[in-house]
Amino acid sequence: METTLRGVGVSHGVAIGEVRHMGTAVLEPPAKQIPAEEAEREQGRARQAVEAVAADLIARGNLAGGEAQHVLEAQAMMAQDPELMADVDRRIAVGSTAERAVYDAFAAYRALLAGAGEYLAGRVADLDDVRNRIVARLLGVPMPGVPDSDEPYVLIARDLAPADTALLDPTLVLGFVTEEGGPTSHSAILARALGVPAVVAMPGAGELVEGTVIAVDGSTGEVFVDPSGEKRAELAKAAAERKALLSAASGPGATSDGHKVPLLANVGGPADVPAAVEAGAEGVGLFRTEFLFLDDSTRAPSEEKQVEAYRKVLEAFPEGRVVVRVLDAGADKPLDFLTPADEPNPALGVRGLRTLLDHPDVLRTQLSALARAAEGLPVYLEVMAPMVADRIDAKAFADACREAGLQAKFGAMVEIPSAALRARSILQEVEFLSLGTNDLAQYTFAADRQVGAVSRLQDPWQPALLDLVAASAEAAKAEGKSCGVCGEAASDPLLACVLTGLGVTSLSMGAASIPYVRAALAKHTLAQCERAAAAARAADTAADARAAAQAVLSGE
């Protein structure tokens, strides 16, 4: 009998296939004592296992490239965390086996983070995956992971670690459903990059019986169990219509009455550029530069290395706009040479621009490298700072850009509510705003972006978040400046229309989402988008906001 379940749709498309469950997690190792003379040998085993797992994660990242690479490199750094390893050594010294010491050390770290409410608590799935991989290697058992299958299937998991998501084979994994996670989790972002339909935060996903046929709609978040022939035909028809719309829409982003909305790509490095170009991106709206700094957490990359990497991206968009975000270190991207190890809450401490202003030499080198990389190229370079809180921050960044001789527009990311509320003040110092809706939602609702239990508060359709977007866009319009969105909200075609109606001047997203957004905008006039935006803001819940906008744009 057909039943319908609902989660959060995070990656467009429809997948119909049999359920296959993720491999079982590593069992808890037995707690047994070892003689003191074996401690050194066990400590060596633990170190070897950690290094092997870190190397495997880095190799997976190199193979996957793009967005996945810097995610997996960050996970490798997590495996090699010196404090964790010191705890493992201490536990072995008092009699634990290597596997038990690793298990207990990670459990203690996990509990500490969760109890303190730190930003890194949102990386629990990543932390658990690292632990499981190390323990599996020590026990000599198969790694937990994607099931082996000769036939295509829909993958079901409690959550998906980045190492698994990054290397999914889209020819076999038709789509996936997870019980935990959120719309801005690593897995969701990587799913969009792969173009795999996905639904996250769906209660009861783990109870789906192996081999059951389900239909996953990654746009609506609906999962149909044992779908009828009629439902399959309905979904197939909708998918075909969507594909036809994608084929029909081409060229620059614009509403049906010609209002231009440049569609830009979010890229994590040169490896992401080909997909962006193929999707018809009109430039880059968010060039994340962290990938260069994750190779070695003990020191910054040289200016020459930075120049080479930046130029590869700039050269790909002649006459296009490329918006570079300077290093966003701290919180979930700690770097040994920059970020304090003892902050009680890194998400609310020294991160983003605050870190760079504390280390002006790192900022100066990066800005100089960007200036050199753009020399002689017909590209429109724009550089923005993450985590700008007020006009003082904006001025400090603009001054640093001028001192470095950077011939580019300087901008500020709006990720903190104070920046949205005082956007007009900030715009006295910079030339554009870019809304990072992922962090803006996190800070507005005090809801960690990686925790499935609070995913409803991370929904970009929340009316309070739309109010902050509107405030920023209105301030930019009043100052005659631009205000784009580079957060994951821009990748939702319906929400992209609403953002346009709120006054946003450009949209940046993962390359796979660009055709969907282009097609959605081409179906509606600017006036329709404005009416949909007003209807969404008038609602009290995210679900009602979406429904209200949908009703306006569908003519109901």
Side-chain angles (χ1 to χ4, degrees), residues 467-487:
D467 287 344
L468 292 175
V469 173
S472 302
E474 288 164 7
K477 183 177 181 181
E479 293 296 327
K481 296 180 178 179
S482 62
C483 176
V485 169
C486 64

Side-chain angles (χ1 to χ4, degrees), residues 227-240:
S228 64
E230 184 180 353
K231 173 57 69 177
R232 293 191 192 200
E234 178 186 322
L235 290 169
K237 181 181 178 184

Side-chain angles (χ1 to χ4, degrees), residues 262-285:
L263 301 182
L264 312 170
N266 293 344
V267 303
D272 289 343
V273 168
V277 172
E278 185 178 350
E282 297 168 60
V284 173

Side-chain angles (χ1 to χ4, degrees), residues 55-66 68-70 72-73 166-167:
D56 178 63
L57 289 169
I58 290 171
R60 285 168 175 258
N62 291 336
L63 185 61
Q69 186 167 4
H70 80 263
L72 293 179
E73 287 174 345
L167 297 182

Side-chain angles (χ1 to χ4, degrees), residues 188-541:
I189 293 170
L190 294 177
R192 285 189 283 272
L194 287 167
V196 177
V199 171
V200 301
M202 194 188 85
E207 297 169 16
L208 291 169
V209 177
E210 187 92 1
T212 302
V213 175
I214 63 172
V216 179
D217 190 328
S219 299
T220 66
E222 293 173 306
V223 174
F224 305 95
V225 183
D226 290 322
S228 64
E230 184 180 353
K231 173 57 69 177
R232 293 191 192 200
E234 178 186 322
L235 290 169
K237 181 181 178 184
E241 290 175 350
R242 207 174 286 153
K243 186 175 181 180
L245 281 172
L246 294 181
S247 300
S250 61
T255 58
S256 63
D257 56 340
H259 175 72
K260 293 182 179 179
V261 187
L263 301 182
L264 312 170
N266 293 344
V267 303
D272 289 343
V273 168
V277 172
E278 185 178 350
E282 297 168 60
V284 173
L286 173 61
F287 178 9
R288 304 179 182 92
T289 58
E290 290 75 39
F291 74 101
L292 276 168
F293 293 78
L294 291 173
D295 286 344
D296 182 353
S297 68
T298 63
R299 60 182 179 179
S302 68
E303 184 172 325
E304 292 302 325
K305 182 176 181 181
Q306 292 188 55
V307 170
E308 181 183 358
Y310 301 151
R311 195 168 179 89
K312 286 179 182 177
V313 175
L314 297 177
E315 286 174 337
F317 295 95
E319 306 294 339
R321 176 187 179 199
V322 175
V323 184
V324 179
R325 180 180 70 189
V326 293
L327 175 64
D328 185 12
D332 65 330
K333 296 184 284 287
L335 294 170
D336 294 344
F337 71 98
L338 280 184
T339 48
D342 56 352
E343 279 197 296
N345 193 333
L348 301 180
V350 181
R351 66 165 292 198
L353 179 61
R354 299 168 187 175
T355 302
L356 293 173
L357 293 179
D358 276 356
H359 298 82
D361 54 325
V362 175
L363 177 58
R364 190 182 307 113
T365 298
Q366 185 169 26
L367 294 175
S368 296
L370 284 166
R372 288 177 56 197
E375 285 177 2
L377 296 180
V379 67
Y380 296 95
L381 175 63
E382 302 185 11
V383 183
M384 62 185 180
M387 301 300 294
V388 171
D390 57 14
R391 184 172 179 174
I392 292 174
D393 279 352
K395 184 178 188 305
F397 178 65
D399 287 346
C401 289
R402 294 188 191 96
E403 288 169 12
L406 193 62
Q407 300 297 311
K409 285 187 176 182
F410 319 140
M413 290 196 72
V414 177
E415 300 165 287
I416 303 173
S418 62
L421 295 171
R422 300 288 295 172
R424 198 159 181 182
S425 171
I426 287 172
L427 284 165
Q428 304 310 304
E429 305 293 343
V430 296
E431 298 172 81
F432 68 94
L433 300 177
S434 184
L435 287 143
T437 51
N438 307 352
D439 269 323
L440 185 57
Q442 173 171 251
Y443 289 120
T444 298
F445 298 103
D448 194 301
R449 56 191 280 191
Q450 296 295 321
V451 177
V454 293
S455 62
R456 77 171 185 86
L457 296 172
Q458 268 291 330
D459 191 326
W461 283 94
Q462 285 284 355
L465 187 65
L466 299 181
D467 287 344
L468 292 175
V469 173
S472 302
E474 288 164 7
K477 183 177 181 181
E479 293 296 327
K481 296 180 178 179
S482 62
C483 176
V485 169
C486 64
E488 291 302 311
S491 64
D492 179 336
L494 180 61
L495 186 50
C497 294
V498 167
L499 294 172
T500 298
L502 291 174
V504 166
T505 55
S506 66
L507 298 166
S508 189
M509 64 210 76
S513 298
I514 291 176
Y516 292 92
V517 172
R518 181 188 290 118
L521 286 172
K523 289 172 57 181
H524 306 290
T525 65
L526 177 59
Q528 287 175 316
C529 292
E530 290 171 341
R531 288 197 296 274
R537 288 183 68 191
D540 291 321
T541 69

